[in-house]
Amino acid sequence: MRKTLLLAAVAAMALGAGPALAKKQLVIVVKGLDNPFFEAIHQGCEKWNKENASSEYECFYTGPASTSDEAGEAQIVQDMLSKPDTAAMAISPSNAPLIAQTIKSANPSIPIMTVDADLTKEDAALRKTYLGTDNYTMGKKIGEYIKKAKPNGGTICTIEGNPAADNILRRAQGMRDALSGKDGLAALAGEGGWTEVAGCPVFTNDDGAKGVQAMTDILAANPKLDAFGIMGGWPLFGAPQPYRDLFKPMADKIGKNEFVIGAADTIGDEVAIAKEGLVTALVGQRPFEMGYKAPSVMLDLIGGKKVDDPVFTGLDECTKETADTCIQK
């Protein structure tokens, strides 16, 4: 009888200890689970978990099913902030003002940071730091490649993602500044020899197929267009075959710099497309590094340690000539 009672007591203690043994969550909320870029962040998060299996903390990756679901991302942020096991959060805001309002409404006591995309400068105080790409520099490098290929300028169309995504807006500004030689122009109208054609920039909500269709339409309306500046790699990694179909007939012109395409990212088929000569240059981010570093940064914030703001990850630059060696290993 005594043995039975003892076993029952031990079992009860084990059951009671279950919730206490649950790991605290270092949450990463991305714009959408349908984007290979964010899957690379996920893989970085999972690597951290494997290397820290005995930690009381766990990297937890989540986001809405679709990158275009801004409200869905805001709802996930709100829901995760209400959970008692959420110890810190890293957010990639699709709609920066909406996410800022969500944080303000939740008024969290845990550390909040941004990853990949930041809040606007006006709302930066809502987060402790930003981890990710120097987006302005990224856009400027794209612009420098385009300018080097066509130093006398020409007509250009910018392909962007979400009109409220701060990271994309910063890239576009960097590109315009590089092309024009001036800072802060909202559009190019001959500065530095470059003019943005009517109907541009085009906002595609990170949809690859929509991006390829937009470029198809722009080329039809502007047969003498000289360049595309693509601020995210969505058309190349999201719709690689339609992209190839559109630009294979222009391969010779691209090879001779008669037509120029500068694009962001080195995800999926992008480097292969560069090797095929169907893009002039890629300036790629390091999303795996973002996902791998984010939990450690969140732990430093939880521990009250000094964390730099921003924390920049690097860039990889790929052309047809460097495609075999351009990605950081």
Side-chain angles (χ1 to χ4, degrees):
M1 180 68 176
R2 180 177 293 178
K3 184 177 180 181
T4 301
L5 290 172
L6 181 60
L7 289 172
V10 170
M13 288 175 64
L15 288 171
L21 294 174
K23 293 197 173 193
K24 299 172 186 176
Q25 304 292 299
L26 305 171
V27 178
I28 298 178
V29 183
V30 298
K31 298 176 183 178
L33 304 182
D34 59 342
N35 189 321
F37 180 90
F38 295 119
E39 178 55 26
I41 290 180
H42 183 201
Q43 294 305 313
C45 169
E46 289 303 319
K47 181 183 179 184
W48 188 91
N49 282 336
K50 289 177 182 177
E51 293 182 357
N52 297 273
S54 62
S55 173
E56 64 178 305
Y57 293 91
E58 178 181 50
C59 182
F60 181 78
Y61 170 87
T62 186
S66 171
T67 310
S68 62
D69 188 2
E70 301 172 10
E73 183 186 27
Q75 186 62 54
I76 289 170
V77 169
Q78 181 177 316
D79 292 345
M80 295 305 298
L81 286 175
S82 71
K83 293 183 179 295
D85 57 352
T86 298
M89 184 177 290
I91 310 168
S92 175
S94 179
N95 184 318
L98 177 60
I99 293 298
Q101 186 55 52
T102 303
I103 296 170
K104 289 175 185 176
S105 298
N107 191 26
S109 58
I110 63 168
I112 303 294
M113 61 178 283
T114 49
V115 62
D116 165 57
D118 204 0
L119 299 176
T120 64
K121 292 179 181 179
E122 293 76 15
D123 292 320
L126 294 170
R127 91 295 186 268
K128 298 294 185 182
T129 189
Y130 161 74
L131 167 67
T133 302
D134 182 341
N135 286 291
Y136 177 82
T137 296
M138 183 183 190
K140 195 162 189 178
K141 284 182 176 292
I142 291 172
E144 287 168 354
Y145 274 109
I146 295 171
K147 188 173 184 177
K148 181 180 179 181
K150 291 193 81 67
N152 294 324
T155 53
I156 188 169
C157 180
T158 308
I159 306 298
E160 302 188 29
N162 186 304
D166 182 76
N167 58 334
I168 303 301
L169 297 176
R170 292 190 190 198
R171 290 176 205 171
Q173 191 61 64
M175 186 195 73
R176 290 187 180 100
D177 290 359
L179 291 176
S180 66
K182 299 181 179 181
D183 294 339
L185 294 175
L188 301 178
E191 297 86 357
W194 288 96
T195 299
E196 292 181 72
V197 298
C200 296
V202 177
F203 294 97
T204 66
N205 288 319
D206 299 6
D207 185 314
K210 187 175 180 180
V212 174
Q213 185 59 57
M215 290 189 289
T216 302
D217 295 342
I218 290 295
L219 284 170
N222 301 271
K224 294 185 179 180
L225 187 76
D226 293 298
F228 278 117
I230 308 174
M231 299 298 102
W234 322 289
L236 292 84
F237 67 66
Q241 195 52 51
Y243 178 92
R244 285 182 169 102
D245 293 342
L246 177 60
F247 288 109
K248 272 184 180 178
M250 301 175 66
D252 286 345
K253 292 184 68 176
I254 295 170
K256 296 175 182 177
N257 289 332
E258 294 173 5
F259 191 85
V260 182
I261 306 172
D265 298 326
T266 50
I267 298 294
D269 277 15
E270 286 196 84
V271 177
I273 287 171
K275 195 170 183 178
E276 294 162 23
L278 300 181
V279 63
T280 306
L282 301 171
V283 180
Q285 307 175 81
R286 295 176 180 166
F288 182 90
E289 184 179 345
M290 297 177 201
Y292 180 66
K293 284 186 173 182
S296 296
V297 175
M298 284 189 270
L299 284 178
D300 285 345
L301 294 173
I302 291 169
K305 295 181 181 178
K306 178 176 173 53
V307 174
D308 290 338
D309 179 22
V311 179
F312 285 139
T313 48
L315 295 168
D316 296 313
E317 300 176 38
C318 301
T319 64
K320 182 178 181 179
E321 293 72 27
T322 65
D324 288 331
T325 58
C326 62
I327 302 298
Q328 179 199 46
K329 302 298 183 183

